[in-house]
């Protein structure tokens, strides 16, 4: 049969192609691919198909192409005769209509992952533009009896009886009743041609990895009909929410995308939710009827499952959704909102003082994530901290005010988190103005009011006593004010419905034992609508929903007779900082991630941006014992209050730090040099090696990094061989990295350690040829920028023997690997069972304070001492020595090396389990919390998956996990968190990485 269609395509269209059947409900569709790679879709309509409906689709496609040539609709390919469709009688003698369309690139939206906000916005834009393009398209076929025309959806009313009585039937009856109420409004809207079936299989998506994906096709105009454009959008929306993790976000983004191309009126937006539900109702009723007609077809029942799941489980609040959709389109949250806001603005200055006094001179106090350290632990607000919050602003009981729209970390309890992990999204943005004043300070009604709600919410960190008042503007529009953290006696004094006159004291501030445990203050919030809020208003919102909450609960400053600017918090604008950075610094000062992050707070292994969004830090090894460690804060503060001087004077901090460091190192490493950085330490190591040996030449593995100073760069192939690098120096010889996954000698070779080490002979010879003697060998003990490599055991033993045999020194750069990160070992060289001549330390040694150190033997130090005085102004400063010693003590006291072992093993085990699921994981390697995940195009050829690594790194960042990528082709995910990481965090990394690898296009 296929060959017959192939023949027709050849004779009628002149297209010689192979045909592959495409899934289709009624008609027969083939993908036709020619040997030149051209693609077409051959459509063979069912024999009883009305030719007028095909002609309608063809005319609509031509119309769209003419009006909006950039829209991704397929072009109709005419037959050789010039006809747009051809009638052909198949072998059974039945005549079918055939027509041919251009094949569009991409895969179906159903298969596309992730369904990102950018993609959904683009979908909205394409639908909006297509409705614009079809607005003036007319055809008699557009108006017909059609069960999928939402305007005719009331046909299901009589069919609902086919659904068994129970909650499903009740919910359908509710949906239909709601639809009946909007039907008259719908009929008043202009009707036009609409696609009418933008479902997941009629949308195509394309785009390269790491680039934003876009809509590459909108296909199948088979359901085109005349209806208000909002029906078309609601139908697309109905499919988009099914089984979606974030249906409201998706809806909002889709509608915003549509509105950007084809602006909607608020009256239309308000219809989306009832229309969406009605479309799903039609769908489930239709498939129930089909199931009755085809009792043996399980597919019919399966296909309606997602719609039922949505209708049964949705927790979407219609009022809040309306507000979301309106604000996403930049429209007023309610029709009355602009009038209420202008009333408040007009009356500013005339309201009765809420705190009984003029607040214009009251100082503001910030509790923001940027400007305050309340609470010290952003995941726990202690009872004591809560009662003292903002104590630094309190002066003799004077009123001070807390900001509106200020992101704060004080909302630390799990109830403020939208997800299972510590780094899940969390609500941080304060939607009220706070007035801090002594307990029992009376609060006055700013204007005439009716009591709407009075409650005593006794939970810890809840409101205690809380009152909501309703007010009417002079135009008769209602709005509401909320007063939280009250003395609960208010519950006895007020009754719902009671009126309160402007200026009446109606409640008092509670004590901490009455007000949820807080320092006494009023939480004063307003709302322009209760639609979607009810009586339980969120006092704090998710920064990713700023537009919505700013619109529903605007700045209440006017009611306090204050200018908005006084109480509005201004977050540092990331875009300004970005621009400043571009202006002030060189272009090779590089930012991480496509969407750079501004970080203003840290705690252990979590970081917070300016809006208080949390990130799991799985990348930074400098905060070895955790960000903002209280013991580091304490010693730094203590020492800065005393003296911070240099090594020209005696101070016991220097010797105490040296003693502690040396206690971790084997003999004969006994002399310390303290400097400021890893680079400075490596630079010094080079000088020591040369002073001791009198030689100049160095041997080092390829792709190494030892720092940014001139000598260190010369030793760092990662830099000197990089694009624009200075190139190799004659005194440096490179050897291949001992990478037994990708390198010359694999893990199946038992002699690989010796073979890799043997390459050093060649390097020594090459130096000798130039008459350069060997001063030493330097290597990151486990190469990090080279791709988180763990060399085979025995490698360094063999290398050191060869170097020492020619008089050279062996330098271990332990900047990345030292101080317990490896779990089983305090230093990497222990795993290789060698003792270096010089050990270089940096990064983690100061937990962020700039400290580098070099430790060597007495003999080498003596050789160096024959030269000029050694002095590093800041190296070994009193402060640095106190901090360095504290870091080493914390690693011991908190068992962080053991934690690195536990969490590292957990992470490695789980990553290896992921490797079984995802072919793109070529290798998982590491020790403790020094881990690399080598991504490959395919496991056989191990080709580096560079674009994938970039994509994964950025997607992980989008999902609030920071990790990096490294390796010669930047294809290895680099994971090296602070040593404080916990099992839940490991699980978050694994769950998220698994999802992202599943998303791959
Ligand atoms: C292995 C190694 N050595 C030395 C350095 C240089 O240290 P610093 O940046 O403190 O100068 C680095 C920095 O990344 C490093 O990773």
């Amino acid at each position: 049969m296929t060959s017959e269609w192939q023949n027709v395509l050849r004779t009628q269209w002149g297209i010689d192609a192979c045909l592959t059947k495409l899934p289709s409900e009624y008609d027969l569709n083939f993908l036709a691919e020619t040997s030149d790679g051209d693609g077409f879709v051959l459509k063979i309509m069912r024999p009883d198909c009305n030719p007028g409906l095909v002609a309608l689709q063809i005319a609509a496609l031509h119309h769209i192409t003419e009006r909006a040539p950039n829209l991704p609709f397929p072009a109709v390919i005419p037959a050789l005769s010039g006809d747009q469709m051809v009638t052909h009688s198949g072998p059974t003698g039945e005549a079918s209509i055939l027509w041919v369309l251009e094949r569009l690139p991409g895969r179906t939206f159903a298969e596309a992952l992730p369904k990102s906000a950018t993609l959904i916005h683009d979908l909205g834009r394409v639908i909006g533009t297509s409705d614009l393009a079809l607005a003036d398209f007319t055809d008699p076929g557009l108006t017909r009896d059609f069960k999928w025309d939402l305007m005719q959806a009331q046909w299901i009313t009589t069919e609902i009886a086919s659904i068994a009585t129970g909650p499903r039937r009740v919910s359908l009856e509710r949906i239909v009743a709601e639809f009946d109420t909007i039907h008259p409004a719908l009929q008043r809207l202009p009707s036009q041609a609409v696609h009418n079936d933008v479902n997941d299989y009629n949308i195509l998506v394309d785009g390269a990895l790491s680039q934003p994906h876009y809509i590459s096709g909108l296909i199948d105009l088979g359901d085109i009909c005349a209806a208000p454009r909002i029906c078309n959008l609601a139908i697309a929306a109905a499919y988009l929410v099914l089984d979606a993790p974030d249906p409201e976000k998706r809806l909002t983004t889709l509608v915003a995308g549509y509105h950007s191309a084809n602006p909607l009126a608020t009256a239309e937006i308000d219809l989306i939710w009832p229309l969406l539900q009605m479309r799903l109702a039609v769908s489930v009723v239709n498939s129930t009827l089909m199931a009755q007609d085809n009792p043996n077809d399980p597919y019919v029942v399966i296909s309606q499952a997602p719609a039922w799941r949505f209708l049964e489980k949705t927790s979407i609040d219609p009022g809040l959704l309306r507000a979301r959709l309106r604000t996403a389109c930049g429209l007023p949250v309610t029709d009355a909102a602009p009038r209420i806001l202008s009333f408040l603005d007009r009356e500013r200055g005339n309201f009765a003082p809420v705190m009984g006094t003029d607040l214009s001179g009251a100082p503001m106090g910030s509790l923001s994530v940027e400007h305050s350290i309340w609470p010290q632990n952003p995941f726990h607000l202690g009872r004591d901290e809560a009662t003292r919050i903002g104590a630094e602003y309190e002066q003799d009981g004077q009123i001070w005010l807390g900001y509106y729209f200020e992101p704060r970390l004080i909302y630390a309890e799990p109830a403020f988190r939208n997800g299972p992990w510590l780094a899940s999204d969390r609500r941080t943005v304060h939607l009220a103005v706070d007035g801090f004043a002594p307990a029992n300070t009376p609060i006055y009604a700013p204007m005439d009011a009716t009591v709407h709600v009075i409650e005593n919410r006794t939970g810890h960190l809840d409101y205690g006593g809380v009152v909501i008042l309703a007010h009417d503007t002079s135009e008769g529009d209602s709005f509401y004010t909320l007063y939280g953290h009250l003395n609960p006696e208010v519950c006895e004094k007020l009754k719902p419905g009671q009126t309160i006159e402007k200026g009446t004291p109606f409640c008092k501030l509670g004590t901490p034992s009455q007000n949820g445990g807080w320092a006494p203050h009023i939480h004063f919030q307003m709302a322009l609508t209760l639609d979607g809020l009810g009586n339980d208003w969120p006092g704090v919102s998710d920064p990713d929903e700023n537009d919505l909450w700013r619109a529903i609960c605007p700045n209440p400053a006017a009611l306090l007779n204050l200018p908005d600017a006084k109480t509005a918090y201004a977050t540092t604008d990331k875009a300004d900082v970005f621009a400043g950075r571009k202006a002030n610094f060189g272009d090779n000062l590089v930012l991480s991630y496509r969407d750079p992050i501004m970080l203003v707070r840290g705690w252990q292994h979590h970081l917070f941006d300016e809006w208080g969004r949390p990130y799991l830090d799985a990348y930074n090894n400098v905060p070895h014992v955790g960000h903002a460690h209280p013991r580091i804060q304490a010693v730094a503060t203590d020492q800065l209050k005393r003296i911070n001087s240099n090594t020209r004077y005696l101070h016991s901090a220097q010797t105490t730090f040296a003693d502690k460091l040396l206690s971790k190192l084997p003999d004969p490493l006994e002399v310390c040099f303290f400097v400021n950085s890893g680079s400075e330490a490596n630079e010094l190591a080079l000088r020591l090696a040369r002073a001791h040996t009198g030689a100049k030449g160095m041997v080092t593995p390829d792709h190494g990094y030892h720092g940014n100073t001139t000598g260190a760069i010369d030793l760092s192939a990662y830099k000197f061989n990089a694009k624009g690098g200075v190139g190799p120096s004659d005194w440096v010889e490179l050897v291949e990295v001992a990478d037994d996954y990708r390198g010359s000698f694999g893990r199946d070779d038992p002699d690989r350690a010796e073979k890799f080490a043997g390459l050093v002979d060649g390097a020594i010879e090459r130096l000798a040829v130039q008459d350069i003697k060997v001063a030493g060998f330097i290597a990151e003990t486990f190469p990090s920028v080279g791709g988180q490599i763990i060399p085979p055991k025995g490698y360094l033993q063999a290398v050191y023997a060869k170097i020492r045999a020619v008089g050279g020194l062996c330098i271990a750069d332990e900047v990345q690997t030292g101080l317990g990160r490896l779990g089983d070992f305090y230093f990497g060289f222990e795993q290789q069972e060698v003792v270096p001549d010089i050990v270089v330390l940096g990064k983690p040694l100061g937990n962020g304070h700039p400290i580098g150190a070099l430790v060597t033997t007495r003999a080498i130090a003596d050789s160096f001492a024959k030269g000029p005085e050694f002095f590093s102004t800041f190296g070994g400063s009193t402060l640095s020595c106190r901090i360095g010693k504290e870091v080493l003590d914390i690693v011991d006291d908190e068992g962080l090396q053991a934690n690195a072992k536990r969490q590292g093993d957990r992470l490695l085990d789980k990553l290896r389990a992921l490797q079984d699921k995802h072919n793109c994981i070529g290798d998982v390697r590491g020790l403790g919390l020094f881990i690399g995940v080598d991504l490959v195009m395919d496991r056989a050829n191990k080709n580096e998956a560079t674009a994938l690594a970039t994509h994964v790194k950025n997607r992980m960042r989008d999902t609030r996990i920071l990790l990096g990528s490294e390796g010669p082709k930047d294809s290895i995910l680099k994971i090296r968190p602070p040593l404080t990481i916990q099992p839940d965090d490991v699980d978050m990394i694994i769950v998220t990485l698994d999802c992202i690898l599943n998303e791959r296009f």
Side-chain angles (χ1 to χ4, degrees):
M1 190 66 212
T2 309
S3 61
E4 163 123 13
W5 302 125
Q6 240 172 338
N7 254 338
V8 184
L9 192 60
R10 189 178 313 113
T11 50
Q12 299 275 8
W13 273 271
I15 296 173
D16 198 359
C18 284
L19 299 189
T20 319
K21 200 157 173 257
L22 293 170
S24 172
E25 206 177 344
Y26 300 116
D27 308 312
L28 199 52
N29 288 338
F30 285 100
L31 173 64
E33 287 179 297
T34 69
S35 52
D36 308 339
D38 288 341
F40 304 91
V41 176
L42 169 64
K43 294 179 78 74
I44 302 152
M45 309 311 280
R46 56 191 176 277
D48 61 350
C49 169
N50 171 358
L53 284 183
V54 180
L56 165 61
Q57 292 179 60
I58 291 173
L61 284 170
H62 283 303
H63 189 90
I64 293 172
T65 313
E66 206 177 289
R67 290 282 186 279
N70 293 329
L71 271 186
F73 279 81
V76 182
I77 310 292
L80 294 173
S81 62
D83 291 341
Q84 307 282 322
M85 54 180 165
V86 162
T87 306
H88 176 80
S89 291
T92 59
E94 275 188 314
S96 300
I97 296 168
L98 275 62
W99 52 308
V100 175
L101 291 168
E102 162 200 25
R103 175 191 54 184
L104 294 175
R107 58 176 61 194
T108 65
F109 188 81
E111 300 161 292
L113 277 174
K115 293 178 174 41
S116 68
T118 322
L119 181 64
I120 292 172
H121 194 274
D122 196 42
L123 175 62
R125 180 192 63 79
V126 168
I127 300 170
T129 315
S130 73
D131 281 352
L132 262 186
L134 284 172
D136 62 344
F137 174 69
T138 53
D139 189 287
L142 289 173
T143 324
R144 60 189 190 279
D145 247 4
F146 188 35
K147 68 180 174 185
W148 297 113
D149 174 359
L150 256 181
M151 297 302 285
Q152 301 173 38
Q154 280 151 317
W155 68 263
I156 65 168
T157 315
T158 51
E159 303 294 343
I160 289 180
S162 61
I163 310 279
T165 48
R168 286 186 167 186
R169 165 111 66 108
V170 171
S171 100
L172 292 184
E173 282 164 354
R174 177 191 51 77
I175 291 169
V176 170
E178 211 173 309
F179 183 81
D180 290 344
T181 65
I182 63 160
H183 200 249
L186 265 179
Q187 277 176 315
R188 286 194 295 274
L189 292 175
S191 185
Q192 66 155 84
V194 291
H195 182 291
N196 204 46
D197 191 21
V198 183
N199 72 52
D200 293 10
Y201 296 90
N202 286 342
I203 306 163
L204 300 178
V205 176
D206 205 7
L209 196 66
S210 272
Q211 297 295 321
H213 293 170
Y214 58 92
I215 303 301
S216 58
L218 213 52
I219 56 174
D220 194 356
L221 279 167
D223 282 0
I224 188 170
C225 71
R229 61 182 177 167
I230 202 65
C231 294
N232 196 32
L233 178 57
I235 289 168
Y239 290 107
L240 199 64
V241 294
L242 299 184
D243 291 332
D246 48 359
E248 282 171 279
K249 259 192 198 155
R250 284 194 180 188
L251 277 177
T252 313
T253 313
L254 179 81
V255 173
Y258 187 103
H259 185 77
S260 70
N262 194 356
L264 293 163
T266 48
E268 290 176 292
I269 291 175
D270 294 352
L271 295 173
I272 291 174
W273 180 240
L275 285 171
L276 176 162
Q277 293 190 95
M278 191 62 173
R279 169 66 176 211
L280 294 178
V282 172
S283 179
V284 292
V285 170
N286 183 60
S287 35
T288 305
L289 295 176
M290 278 171 66
Q292 282 167 4
D293 292 347
N294 307 282
N296 298 325
D297 184 351
Y299 178 75
V300 177
V301 177
I302 292 168
S303 68
Q304 55 171 285
W308 276 126
R309 268 198 295 276
F310 182 80
L311 291 174
E312 285 169 347
K313 298 224 176 87
T314 181
S315 57
I316 290 182
D317 181 298
L320 202 55
L321 181 67
R322 268 196 302 275
R324 270 182 209 286
L325 299 182
R326 280 167 165 247
T327 44
C329 297
L331 295 167
V333 67
T334 62
D335 294 341
R339 288 194 300 271
I340 301 171
L341 291 175
S342 88
F343 163 82
L344 292 171
D345 204 31
R346 274 196 318 273
E347 294 298 316
R348 196 189 302 261
N350 298 330
F351 295 105
V354 169
M355 299 195 76
T357 180
D358 176 9
L359 293 175
S360 51
M364 300 299 304
S366 175
L367 299 173
S368 79
V369 55
E370 277 183 275
H371 294 119
S372 97
I373 45 151
W374 297 96
Q376 172 68 94
N377 173 354
F379 298 106
H380 178 65
L381 178 69
R383 281 176 190 265
D384 179 49
E385 266 188 308
T387 57
R388 288 186 300 109
I389 221 131
E392 66 273 36
Y393 304 117
E394 205 274 322
Q395 272 190 349
D396 307 327
Q398 298 292 307
I399 296 174
W400 65 272
L401 303 178
Y403 283 102
Y404 166 75
F405 228 66
E406 180 176 70
R408 300 171 172 179
L409 295 180
I410 57 176
Y411 311 108
E413 304 309 304
F416 291 97
R417 232 180 278 148
N418 303 325
W421 318 111
L422 285 182
S424 295
D425 289 351
R426 87 191 234 177
R427 293 188 289 129
T428 58
V429 184
H430 186 235
L431 298 174
V433 169
D434 297 310
F436 284 78
N440 289 318
T441 300
I443 298 297
Y444 302 79
M447 60 185 285
D448 289 350
T450 310
V451 177
H452 187 70
V453 171
I454 328 146
E455 265 176 28
N456 185 16
R457 298 204 197 143
T458 51
H460 177 53
L461 301 180
D462 208 324
Y463 280 138
V466 59
V467 172
I468 297 177
L469 300 182
H471 311 275
D472 286 330
T473 66
S474 46
E475 287 97 347
D477 296 311
S478 298
F479 72 96
Y480 306 83
T481 48
L482 179 147
Y483 308 78
H485 307 304
L486 303 176
N487 182 330
E489 68 177 19
V490 70
C491 298
E492 275 95 63
K493 296 207 167 138
L494 297 182
K495 296 266 162 308
Q498 179 181 338
T499 53
I500 298 180
E501 263 183 41
K502 174 177 176 178
T504 310
F506 67 97
C507 59
K508 289 183 192 151
L509 297 192
T511 62
S513 63
Q514 298 167 326
N515 74 1
W518 299 92
H521 72 284
I522 183 91
H523 172 102
F524 179 60
Q525 185 173 346
M526 71 178 288
L528 299 187
T529 174
L530 292 187
D531 210 9
L533 249 66
N535 296 336
D536 192 11
W537 307 7
V540 198
S541 68
D542 183 333
D544 291 336
E545 300 196 321
N546 277 349
D547 290 346
L548 171 71
W549 290 105
R550 215 192 307 252
I552 297 182
C553 295
N555 188 345
L559 283 161
L560 298 170
N561 297 322
L562 296 173
D564 285 354
K566 175 169 170 109
T567 56
Y569 181 77
T571 310
T572 300
D573 188 345
K574 189 169 110 175
D576 285 347
V577 177
F578 184 77
R581 164 134 171 167
K582 283 252 153 235
N584 296 340
F585 300 99
D587 281 349
N588 56 351
L589 192 70
V590 172
L591 279 165
S592 295
Y593 308 114
R594 244 187 338 245
D595 178 10
I597 322 172
M598 186 157 83
L599 295 169
V600 298
R601 276 286 298 275
W603 180 253
Q604 293 192 333
H605 43 282
H606 286 94
L607 291 160
F608 297 84
D609 71 11
E610 72 281 18
W611 284 101
R613 294 185 194 98
Y615 296 82
L616 170 60
D617 186 355
Y619 182 69
N620 287 293
N621 56 352
V622 172
H624 194 63
V625 299
H627 293 274
H629 198 292
R631 281 176 61 178
I632 306 289
Q633 295 176 36
V635 288
T637 314
D638 180 71
Q639 195 54 46
L640 284 171
K641 284 179 187 163
R642 297 164 193 274
I643 184 172
N644 186 17
S645 188
N646 59 55
T647 49
R648 288 225 165 91
Y649 310 102
L650 290 173
H651 195 291
S652 63
Q654 294 154 9
T655 47
T656 314
F657 179 32
D659 284 344
K660 178 80 193 186
L661 189 55
L662 292 174
S663 75
K664 299 290 182 187
L665 285 155
D667 289 339
L669 295 167
E670 56 183 310
V671 181
C672 297
F673 292 81
F674 293 143
V675 288
N676 311 133
S677 67
S679 305
E680 195 186 345
N682 278 320
E683 195 78 36
L684 184 62
L686 187 58
R687 286 180 64 203
L688 259 69
R690 285 176 171 168
H692 188 68
T693 60
K696 186 178 180 199
M698 294 293 294
V699 179
T700 187
D702 203 352
H703 297 296
Y705 181 60
H706 299 287
N708 61 41
T709 53
T710 308
I713 290 281
D714 283 343
L715 292 169
S716 305
Y718 169 72
K719 292 288 177 199
F720 70 67
N721 273 341
K723 191 164 159 262
V726 294
S729 307
D730 57 355
W731 52 273
V732 176
E733 276 301 328
L734 297 180
V735 289
E736 183 183 332
V737 187
D739 173 359
D740 58 9
Y741 174 65
R742 290 188 175 281
S744 304
F745 314 108
R747 285 176 199 160
D748 52 351
D749 182 346
D751 300 326
R752 61 194 186 284
E754 291 71 30
K755 288 183 179 167
F756 275 120
L759 302 176
V760 166
D761 294 333
I764 294 171
E765 270 166 40
R766 289 194 296 279
L767 285 171
V769 168
Q770 298 180 76
D771 209 14
I772 297 176
K773 291 209 178 66
V774 177
F777 171 85
I778 182 167
E780 299 166 68
T781 309
F782 296 171
S784 181
V785 292
Q788 304 288 92
I789 310 288
I790 313 289
K793 279 221 168 171
Y795 170 69
L796 280 187
Q797 262 181 7
V799 171
Y800 280 18
K802 289 174 191 296
I803 293 292
R804 284 173 176 155
V806 292
L809 298 186
C810 297
I811 306 169
D813 182 336
E814 291 276 348
V815 168
Q816 294 277 342
T817 40
L819 312 190
R821 169 161 300 279
L822 304 174
D824 282 329
F825 307 98
Y826 200 81
F827 294 106
F829 62 76
E830 294 166 11
Q831 187 259 6
Q832 288 284 316
E833 297 175 6
V834 289
V835 177
D837 302 303
I838 297 176
V839 173
V840 166
L841 298 169
K843 289 183 186 282
L845 196 51
N847 210 53
H849 184 76
I851 307 181
L854 178 154
V855 187
T856 189
T857 65
R858 175 58 64 192
I860 295 169
D862 285 348
S863 302
F864 183 60
K866 289 184 188 132
E869 173 199 351
F870 167 74
F871 180 65
S872 168
T873 303
F874 302 115
S877 76
T878 339
L879 178 63
S880 298
C881 290
R882 291 279 314 270
I883 290 178
K885 160 80 165 45
E886 200 68 12
V887 169
L888 300 181
D889 284 345
I890 294 170
V891 172
D892 289 348
D893 297 348
E894 295 186 0
L896 293 181
Q897 184 178 347
N899 192 53
K901 160 90 180 134
R902 272 193 308 276
Q903 307 316 329
D905 284 353
R906 183 183 181 94
L907 192 48
L908 283 163
D909 282 351
K910 292 187 174 230
L911 285 169
R912 288 187 176 124
L914 277 194
Q915 190 178 11
D916 293 339
K917 270 177 83 177
H918 299 284
N919 271 328
C920 61
I921 301 184
D923 190 33
V924 172
R925 51 184 175 252
L927 257 186
L929 291 170
F930 177 92
I931 292 175
V933 181
D934 197 322
L935 299 182
V936 293
M937 302 300 284
D938 83 62
R939 287 204 187 148
N941 64 21
K942 297 184 188 170
N943 281 349
E944 295 87 349
T946 304
L948 178 62
T950 308
H951 172 73
V952 170
K953 178 175 68 173
N954 281 292
R955 286 289 296 135
M956 293 289 277
R957 172 252 177 268
D958 293 344
T959 26
R960 307 277 161 76
I961 299 175
L962 306 187
L963 43 76
S965 58
E966 282 292 6
K969 298 263 174 71
D970 201 19
S971 57
I972 294 136
L973 298 178
K974 181 165 171 172
I975 308 178
R976 23 151 240 203
L979 304 195
T980 49
I981 194 165
Q982 294 298 308
D984 262 9
D985 310 303
V986 168
D987 294 351
M988 182 189 188
I989 296 173
I990 295 296
V991 169
T992 313
L993 184 59
D994 188 21
C995 283
I996 288 171
L997 292 177
N998 277 330
E999 283 176 1
R1000 195 143 67 102
F1001 224 49

